[in-house]
Amino acid sequence: MCGIAGWIDWQEDLSQQQSILKDMTDSIVHRGPDADGFWFSERAAFGHRRLIVIDPEGGKQPMLYQDGNYTVALTYNGELYNYLELRDELETLGHSFKTSSDTEVLLHSYLEWGEDCIRRFNGIFAFGIWDERRSRLMLGRDHLGVKPLFFTKRDNGIIFGSELKVLLSHPKVDAKIDRKGLAEVFALGPMRTPGVGVFKDIEEVRAGHYMIITEEKTETKQYWQLESQEHRDDVDTTVSKIRSILEDTVKRQLLSDMPLVSMLSGGLDSSGLTAIAGKEYKENGKTLETYSIDFVNSEEDFEQDFLRRDLDEPWVRKVSEHVGTKHHSVVFGADKLVENLLVPMRARDLPGVGEIETSLYLLFKEMKKEATVALSGESADEVFSGYPWFHQKEFLDADVYPWLVNLGFISNLLSEDLKAKIRPEEYRKERFQEAVAEVPFLEGEDELQAKQRQMSYMFITRFLPFMLDRKDRSSMMTGFEVRVPFCDYRLVEYLWNIPFEMKSIDNIEKGILRRAFEGYLPDDVRNRRKSAYPSTKDAAYLEGVSKWMLRVLDNPDSPILPLLDVEKVRKIAEGKVERITGGQARGLFDYLLQINGWLEEYEIEIEL
């Protein structure tokens, strides 16, 4: 895993632009703390920050292929899980390799198959390839968008990088936000629209897409998409195929030259992956190490609710003992969470979700002390349709994203001027309708099945990107790589067409996955009901963010003030609005504090 930066210009000579490119690359040193690399030509400048995972000596970047008077240069972030098969195929076609890295395989894949190479990759990746023969740039991103890639066009060229801060480090790029960007921030929250970079004139390469850019034109092509067809496999065959794909995926994703561990929450998803990985480790005479997160006084403070039915830690211990892992439980208090609230915002370059993101960052920071790579159960709920919303009519019939149905109260806290200019309710509905228009409905499905397919599409293409952003930025901020086996595109393709009633077989969410993990996990673990990502219940956290919010409201220089109905927010911070629960207030303050910090630290110019 790494961080990439690049600048192409068809008019300006870039061969002497070392200072600018170094600033761009240095901005993401956290993504690659082990090494840096640079390459310059008249038309192109590439930078790279490296986190060593595979082939410490041979995977240095930018990587070049030179033949006579031309060069093909690659800067790449990610892992190709099928690179050994691709390497064997390329060798039969006459290619020779100097390293053992997947980077060189990606480069030679491009040399052999051109832009179609991306259709052969199984992995998580974002890359830029400059081809001097054609004077063109190729930007590519993995199927589900696990790895980020942003770009902006300026004058006669294009600037790209792993994170927004790469672009903002360039002197031609100013931190500006217009009405559309503010609508993203206040109407959609951190679940931004795919392809939108929020900052003015900044975009991202969408998941499953690549771009070909020349001086004359820019082409964006979708190389992967969900395709609807009738699911013909019976239950037993479906379970067997899911199990087979997961076993193959986990085995591939255990490949690392650096220490690898597994995240373990005690829930179905991470427990199942841990069991598969633990078996592989045991067969090779090794012990898998696992990590979980907990909070100070969690037992005393725990309150059962719709999202969290019981404590994770007893289940974590049970799975660890069953699989035979060496387990580490990392415990945090409210003070640590408040202290680090703005770190995820700095990692994203955008406001995030607050405490549950902060705790994830702190967990990765601890894991980094002993390892470089981890497996995560992220995305199982999205691809297996595991949320309750899939069978609740209120959400199936809604004309906005289901996760926004109950979040409209934030709009009521905006200033009247801002509401009039960004029209948050209309913006939500417009973005939702755009997503609906993309859904590949299947002829012959009844109304309920079509609604459930639509819901599945929303979660895979709109909600999952937020979860993957959260995981990538929180982990890479600490120079730590997290792999997500449930995002293997082969699994996602297969699951897409499994009817919801089969996915939820045995009258339980993700019932089909529970059957696939039979034999790997004890029955009570397999049948444990879903429990959301843990969150501190310590009253000191709400007290801390409430006081912080009041300080922001009392400071006339706080940049967020013109955007808010200050008195409404003040009443909530003072605890004078009974209909707002403590949990809602925490989430609200987490987000508003990050917005204020973002506007302030990034010195953002607002254009209304």
Side-chain angles (χ1 to χ4, degrees):
M1 287 299 155
C2 308
I4 65 175
W7 179 15
I8 306 296
D9 198 292
W10 283 274
Q11 299 296 326
E12 183 178 350
D13 185 349
L14 302 184
S15 58
Q16 302 302 315
Q17 296 290 358
Q18 287 85 352
S19 176
I20 291 176
L21 192 66
K22 188 174 189 307
D23 287 344
M24 294 167 62
T25 308
D26 284 353
S27 72
I28 48 171
V29 64
H30 50 275
R31 293 188 75 91
D34 298 327
D36 63 8
F38 303 91
W39 174 76
F40 299 88
S41 72
E42 188 175 357
R43 299 276 76 86
F46 276 9
H48 191 264
R49 288 295 323 189
R50 188 180 184 201
L51 174 65
I52 295 174
V53 175
I54 294 175
D55 192 7
E57 293 301 317
K60 297 175 181 177
Q61 295 190 52
M63 187 171 282
L64 310 178
Y65 175 82
Q66 295 174 309
D67 185 0
N69 295 322
Y70 75 85
T71 298
V72 178
L74 165 68
T75 184
Y76 155 59
N77 164 33
E79 304 284 355
L80 295 185
Y81 300 130
N82 65 335
Y83 82 98
L84 294 176
E85 297 98 309
L86 288 171
R87 180 185 173 114
D88 289 343
E89 183 178 0
L90 288 164
E91 285 179 332
T92 65
L93 294 171
H95 293 256
S96 59
F97 293 86
K98 299 176 182 177
T99 76
S100 301
S101 70
D102 59 334
T103 306
E104 191 176 14
V105 171
L106 194 158
L107 180 58
H108 280 259
S109 295
Y110 174 79
L111 295 170
E112 178 65 32
W113 296 300
E115 64 191 69
D116 285 339
C117 67
I118 200 168
R119 303 177 189 276
R120 296 172 176 261
F121 299 154
N122 178 343
I124 53 178
F125 53 82
F127 63 82
I129 296 175
W130 173 247
D131 189 338
E132 282 192 338
R133 298 169 298 180
R134 300 175 175 86
S135 189
R136 75 175 193 180
L137 173 71
M138 177 179 181
L139 298 178
R141 194 170 179 214
D142 63 69
H143 303 72
L144 275 298
V146 179
K147 291 290 106 180
L149 185 54
F150 294 93
F151 69 93
T152 184
K153 294 181 179 179
R154 287 295 190 273
D155 300 332
N156 299 296
I158 185 169
I159 303 160
F160 67 89
S162 292
E163 296 182 10
L164 287 161
K165 57 177 61 69
V166 176
L167 281 58
L168 296 172
S169 298
H170 194 289
K172 290 187 177 182
V173 183
D174 296 321
K176 294 182 179 180
I177 186 168
D178 56 16
R179 293 186 185 188
K180 181 179 180 181
L182 285 170
E184 288 284 323
V185 169
F186 284 106
L188 300 184
M191 297 77 167
R192 58 188 171 83
T193 305
V196 175
V198 180
F199 288 92
K200 185 179 180 182
D201 298 325
I202 292 180
E203 302 173 70
E204 70 171 350
V205 179
R206 285 190 64 172
H209 288 66
Y210 69 92
M211 299 175 65
I212 299 293
I213 305 109
T214 65
E215 185 176 12
E216 292 78 25
K217 65 179 180 178
T218 296
E219 295 180 276
T220 299
K221 301 182 181 181
Q222 185 170 7
Y223 69 88
W224 182 80
Q225 58 190 334
L226 295 166
E227 297 181 358
S228 298
Q229 55 191 11
E230 183 182 354
H231 183 74
R232 298 182 181 277
D233 292 340
D234 62 20
V235 171
D236 289 343
T237 303
T238 300
V239 169
S240 178
K241 285 188 177 180
I242 290 171
R243 185 184 180 106
S244 176
I245 294 172
L246 281 173
E247 288 173 338
D248 178 67
T249 299
V250 171
K251 188 172 183 178
R252 289 174 182 274
Q253 296 192 21
L254 289 177
L255 184 63
S256 173
D257 290 329
M258 297 297 164
L260 180 147
V261 298
S262 184
M263 300 178 72
L264 177 60
S265 71
L268 175 69
D269 314 328
S270 64
S271 297
L273 295 183
T274 295
I276 296 173
K279 180 183 178 183
E280 287 287 332
Y281 264 51
K282 193 172 292 185
E283 289 175 354
N284 288 283
K286 298 187 294 183
T287 298
L288 180 67
E289 298 200 24
T290 49
Y291 283 78
S292 64
I293 190 169
D294 199 5
F295 301 98
V296 174
N297 298 324
S298 60
E299 288 191 40
E300 294 88 336
D301 295 334
F302 180 75
E303 298 175 5
Q304 188 181 61
D305 59 26
F306 175 71
L307 294 175
R308 298 174 182 88
R309 298 171 184 270
D310 52 16
L311 288 166
D312 285 341
E313 280 301 301
W315 296 97
V316 167
R317 289 193 294 270
K318 180 164 189 150
V319 174
S320 176
E321 291 170 6
H322 175 79
V323 177
T325 74
K326 179 182 177 181
H327 188 71
H328 311 263
S329 181
V330 183
V331 182
F332 300 114
D335 56 343
K336 199 74 171 177
L337 295 169
V338 174
E339 177 187 334
N340 288 275
L341 176 60
L342 296 186
V343 176
M345 176 275 291
R346 295 167 188 143
R348 281 181 180 271
D349 306 306
L350 293 169
V353 290
E355 178 241 322
I356 62 172
E357 206 160 3
T358 308
S359 62
L360 194 61
Y361 157 75
L362 291 171
L363 174 61
F364 291 139
K365 191 175 180 180
E366 286 298 310
M367 294 169 75
K368 175 65 176 179
K369 294 176 181 178
E370 303 293 336
T372 302
V373 186
L375 296 185
S376 166
E378 194 78 88
S379 82
D381 285 312
E382 288 74 29
V383 301
F384 278 93
S385 306
Y387 293 105
W389 295 318
F390 280 86
H391 54 78
Q392 294 177 331
K393 184 174 175 58
E394 173 192 1
F395 295 97
L396 288 170
D397 293 342
D399 59 357
V400 295
Y401 299 126
W403 51 91
L404 295 181
V405 168
N406 295 322
L407 293 180
F409 77 92
I410 292 180
S411 300
N412 295 326
L413 302 177
L414 303 181
S415 70
E416 292 301 320
D417 180 59
L418 182 61
K419 278 196 288 188
K421 288 177 177 175
I422 68 172
R423 301 177 298 110
E425 287 81 7
E426 291 90 336
Y427 191 82
R428 290 189 196 103
K429 292 178 181 179
E430 288 169 4
R431 299 291 79 76
F432 178 76
Q433 289 304 322
E434 286 177 357
V436 171
E438 296 174 7
V439 180
F441 289 105
L442 182 62
E443 187 175 349
E445 286 186 323
D446 61 31
E447 183 180 0
L448 176 59
Q449 289 171 327
K451 287 283 189 180
Q452 288 168 335
R453 184 178 291 276
Q454 176 177 300
M455 180 79 80
S456 180
Y457 190 85
M458 297 303 153
F459 274 98
I460 293 171
T461 66
R462 296 312 194 267
F463 190 78
L464 180 56
F466 151 71
M467 300 294 284
L468 295 175
D469 277 355
R470 183 182 75 153
K471 189 76 74 177
D472 174 81
R473 307 304 191 281
S474 297
S475 60
M476 294 303 288
M477 192 67 171
T478 68
F480 189 74
E481 174 188 329
V482 177
R483 297 173 177 175
V484 280
F486 286 113
C487 278
D488 187 299
Y489 76 91
R490 299 170 302 165
L491 179 66
V492 178
E493 284 179 345
Y494 187 65
L495 294 173
W496 169 247
N497 287 303
I498 299 176
F500 178 73
E501 59 265 27
M502 186 183 288
K503 287 180 182 175
S504 56
I505 197 168
D506 303 323
N507 196 33
I508 190 169
E509 75 275 356
K510 295 180 291 190
I512 200 75
L513 179 59
R514 296 173 193 275
R515 288 197 180 188
F517 283 146
E518 187 172 359
Y520 274 110
L521 295 172
D523 286 348
D524 57 348
V525 176
R526 285 195 308 116
N527 294 318
R528 182 193 179 199
R529 287 284 184 176
K530 175 176 172 55
S531 189
Y533 180 84
S535 174
T536 181
K537 299 298 182 182
D538 190 341
Y541 186 81
L542 176 57
E543 182 181 354
V545 293
S546 297
K547 289 180 177 178
W548 188 350
M549 191 75 244
L550 286 170
R551 291 196 298 272
V552 168
L553 297 176
D554 289 338
N555 180 1
D557 295 325
S558 296
I560 197 173
L561 298 187
L563 308 178
L564 298 178
D565 184 323
V566 173
E567 291 312 308
K568 283 185 178 180
V569 178
R570 185 184 298 280
K571 286 180 181 179
I572 298 173
E574 292 174 344
K576 296 178 179 178
V577 183
E578 292 183 2
R579 68 178 183 279
I580 303 292
T581 66
Q584 288 175 319
R586 283 163 41 129
L588 173 65
F589 299 150
D590 277 356
Y591 195 54
L592 295 182
L593 289 171
Q594 288 190 71
I595 293 174
N596 187 72
W598 177 62
L599 294 170
E600 187 172 65
E601 292 186 16
Y602 285 68
E603 299 180 344
I604 296 172
E605 180 183 344
I606 297 176
E607 295 184 351
L608 288 175

